[in-house]
Amino acid sequence: MSLPAINPDAVLWSVPEEERAGRPLLLLLHGYGSNEADLFGLVPHLPDAPVIASLRAPLQAPWPIDGWSWFPLAVPGAPDPAGLDASVDAIIAWIDALPFTPTSVAAAGFSQGGAMSVHLLRRAPERFAFAGNLAGFVVAGDQPGDAILQETRPPVFWGRGSADTVISDEAVARTTDWLPDHSTLSGRIYEGLDHSISGPELADLRAFLDRQY
């Protein structure tokens, strides 16, 4: 079985290649069963300072889902961390193969992509500056970078809807317990919001990103 890999031909970029060098890189990571075009529509509402790359997850979601995933579905909110680890390795390999070196790298994602954004910090805190977690969660268990994150406390944005029935209560509780001890947390619960992104949440994400850039 081949290891997951990011398809470089499927990446959507906010700027042409000649404008990418010497700038920070912000990765957008979509949710389960979606694709790289999903979050790319947010680009006009995000800061201009970073180069933004929207990635396609490396795993084909099982039929009948017509899309992609970062890790296999399992017990809701409790996936096998090995699946996330493999996609982290794929993202890092893709970054290392870029023809330019970003001044910094960060990630923001929705649902599975939000979980991946935080997991990037936990697996490689020296490689990623901060994370945006929209309707995602923290995976159970210890990770190599957790002790470092307790000391460095990188910025993390976590937004979720009060009416989100996709992310389990256990996963929400785990994330609520973990993030304040391992990050400089900016968090908000959006009343009545289901498993989606609202205008107020997007505005809060933009404000968070403006503070980083």
Side-chain angles (χ1 to χ4, degrees):
M1 181 178 179
S2 60
L3 294 174
I6 300 299
N7 180 358
D9 295 329
V11 178
L12 297 178
W13 293 91
S14 62
V15 296
E17 186 171 358
E18 62 271 17
E19 298 179 19
R20 298 171 193 168
R23 295 172 62 181
L25 175 63
L26 175 63
L27 308 179
L28 296 183
L29 309 179
H30 63 76
Y32 176 79
S34 189
N35 58 56
E36 67 279 6
D38 187 18
L39 296 185
F40 195 68
L42 301 182
V43 168
H45 306 283
L46 301 180
D48 294 329
V51 175
I52 299 175
S54 188
L55 308 187
R56 177 188 294 175
L59 304 178
Q60 180 78 54
W63 187 89
I65 302 297
D66 183 20
W68 303 83
S69 70
W70 296 100
F71 49 88
L73 290 183
V75 178
D80 183 349
L84 286 83
D85 295 350
S87 283
V88 166
D89 291 344
I91 290 173
I92 291 175
W94 173 80
I95 294 170
D96 288 344
L98 291 174
F100 66 97
T101 301
T103 57
S104 67
V105 184
F110 172 74
S111 194
Q112 273 202 355
M116 280 296 304
S117 295
V118 177
H119 207 68
L120 289 167
L121 288 177
R122 300 181 68 189
R123 290 283 295 175
E126 75 285 356
R127 299 292 302 264
F128 298 94
F130 61 85
N133 172 21
L134 310 178
F137 56 91
V138 170
V139 177
D142 296 328
Q143 289 295 324
D146 286 354
I148 295 174
L149 296 181
Q150 283 187 309
E151 296 180 3
T152 59
R153 295 178 180 268
V156 172
F157 175 81
W158 179 31
R160 68 179 184 89
S162 66
D164 188 342
T165 59
V166 173
I167 306 302
S168 69
D169 291 343
E170 179 185 3
V172 170
R174 182 194 318 126
T175 307
T176 301
D177 289 341
W178 191 91
L179 278 177
D181 291 334
H182 296 83
S183 71
T184 300
L185 179 62
S186 299
R188 182 176 171 186
I189 299 172
Y190 301 89
E191 291 299 324
L193 180 65
D194 57 11
H195 194 63
S196 60
I197 301 172
S198 67
E201 184 176 21
L202 180 56
D204 288 341
L205 175 64
R206 170 62 189 260
F208 170 81
L209 294 175
D210 283 339
R211 292 194 295 273
Q212 312 318 314
Y213 296 119

